[in-house]
Amino acid sequence: AQSVAQPEDQVNVAEGNPLTVKCTYSVSGNPYLFWYVQYPNRGLQFLLKYITGDNLVKGSYGFEAEFNKSQTSFHLKKPSALVSDSALYFCASTFFNTGRRALTFGSGTRLQVQP
Amino acid sequence: NAGVTQTPKFQVLKTGQSMTLQCAQDMNHEYMSWYRQDPGMGLRLIHYSVGAGITDQGEVPNGYNVSRSTTEDFPLRLLSAAPSQTSVYFCASSYGDRGNTEAFFGQGTRLTVV
């Protein structure tokens, strides 16, 4: 079955330090992978995606993610965290070659950046 | 450009009542979908549509109906509300139907069923 996992419910990091939010996927074939962010009482906003090509993808607000096929991972990273990055982050995927166009979401990781 | 608009933002229903959650997009997107968000479970797909007149079920369709008479609108109907349908509902739209484009989400509807 196709699935996306976010192993950490919460990640705490000090402002200015690098941050990583982890995501792994389980699928046969090639997934399309996405990161979304949700601020309190708001909808989800797109950060970045991997479709094909370069394994390092750069997105909005200084975030980047690395697609690792051998480890089936797509971790979200940022070199220097800001307090304003505190939010709920979702990894998601679609699997077009299996007909699954809709997003499958991980359970979400709450990022807390301390001043 | 309004993007994806959901109404209402908040709603309280009594068990057994019915209601329609509205969703409209002005980006001419073919693909639209409804998700529910529950704590610790991410977002789960309820129903989706790949174009006007075409809808299909997602992971958790029971108790919900949809229709897509126009490209712009994709309403979600709760037939007989139950407390288990207390959740935050999000509508999303995206360009094309290959799953390789980003989705745009509405602000959500927080529904409480008592």
Side-chain angles (χ1 to χ4, degrees):
Chain A
Q2 304 142 350
S3 64
V4 175
Q6 292 180 245
E8 302 156 317
D9 291 335
Q10 181 154 326
V11 169
N12 297 311
V13 64
E15 188 174 31
N17 283 0
L19 69 87
T20 298
V21 183
K22 295 180 180 177
C23 172
T24 60
Y25 65 90
S26 173
V27 66
S28 56
N30 297 317
Y32 300 143
L33 295 161
F34 300 79
W35 277 101
Y36 288 85
V37 60
Q38 185 180 32
Y39 297 101
N41 300 314
R42 301 292 298 275
L44 278 70
Q45 297 177 31
F46 169 77
L47 279 179
L48 50 79
K49 66 180 179 183
Y50 173 82
I51 304 300
T52 187
D54 194 347
N55 289 343
L56 184 63
V57 179
K58 294 188 184 297
S60 306
Y61 312 121
F63 284 93
E64 59 188 28
E66 185 167 11
F67 173 66
N68 187 320
K69 189 169 185 177
S70 62
Q71 297 186 2
T72 62
S73 66
F74 189 56
H75 301 331
L76 181 71
K77 299 182 180 184
K78 188 174 183 182
S80 178
L82 300 172
V83 172
S84 57
D85 293 329
S86 298
L88 187 57
Y89 290 81
F90 289 99
C91 183
S93 67
T94 60
F95 307 98
F96 178 72
N97 22 348
T98 59
R100 170 96 180 163
R101 299 168 178 83
L103 288 163
T104 297
F105 284 89
S107 55
T109 299
R110 188 164 301 281
L111 174 66
Q112 198 71 35
V113 181
Q114 285 115 10
Chain B
N1 190 343
V4 179
T5 303
Q6 287 183 239
T7 56
K9 287 188 170 56
F10 302 94
Q11 184 70 49
V12 179
L13 286 180
K14 293 182 179 178
T15 297
Q17 286 185 316
S18 62
M19 78 161 294
T20 299
L21 279 62
Q22 302 291 345
C23 175
Q25 53 93 7
D26 60 0
M27 296 171 282
N28 202 31
H29 285 167
E30 298 94 328
Y31 194 90
M32 296 186 73
S33 50
W34 276 101
Y35 294 87
R36 58 178 288 173
Q37 182 180 20
D38 301 294
M41 301 186 74
L43 280 76
R44 292 180 293 168
L45 181 68
I46 305 171
H47 285 285
Y48 66 95
S49 169
V50 299
I54 306 169
T55 64
D56 207 345
Q57 297 181 350
E59 304 168 64
V60 288
N62 292 341
Y64 307 95
N65 268 357
V66 292
S67 60
R68 183 106 178 261
S69 56
T70 67
T71 298
E72 294 78 19
D73 299 300
F74 190 43
L76 178 72
R77 296 183 190 84
L78 278 69
L79 308 172
S80 178
S84 60
Q85 294 179 303
T86 294
S87 188
V88 181
Y89 292 83
F90 288 100
C91 178
S93 74
S94 56
Y95 174 75
D97 67 349
R98 293 182 60 84
N100 59 352
T101 60
E102 55 266 36
F104 292 79
F105 285 81
Q107 300 274 39
T109 296
R110 186 173 294 273
L111 176 68
T112 302
V113 182
V114 298

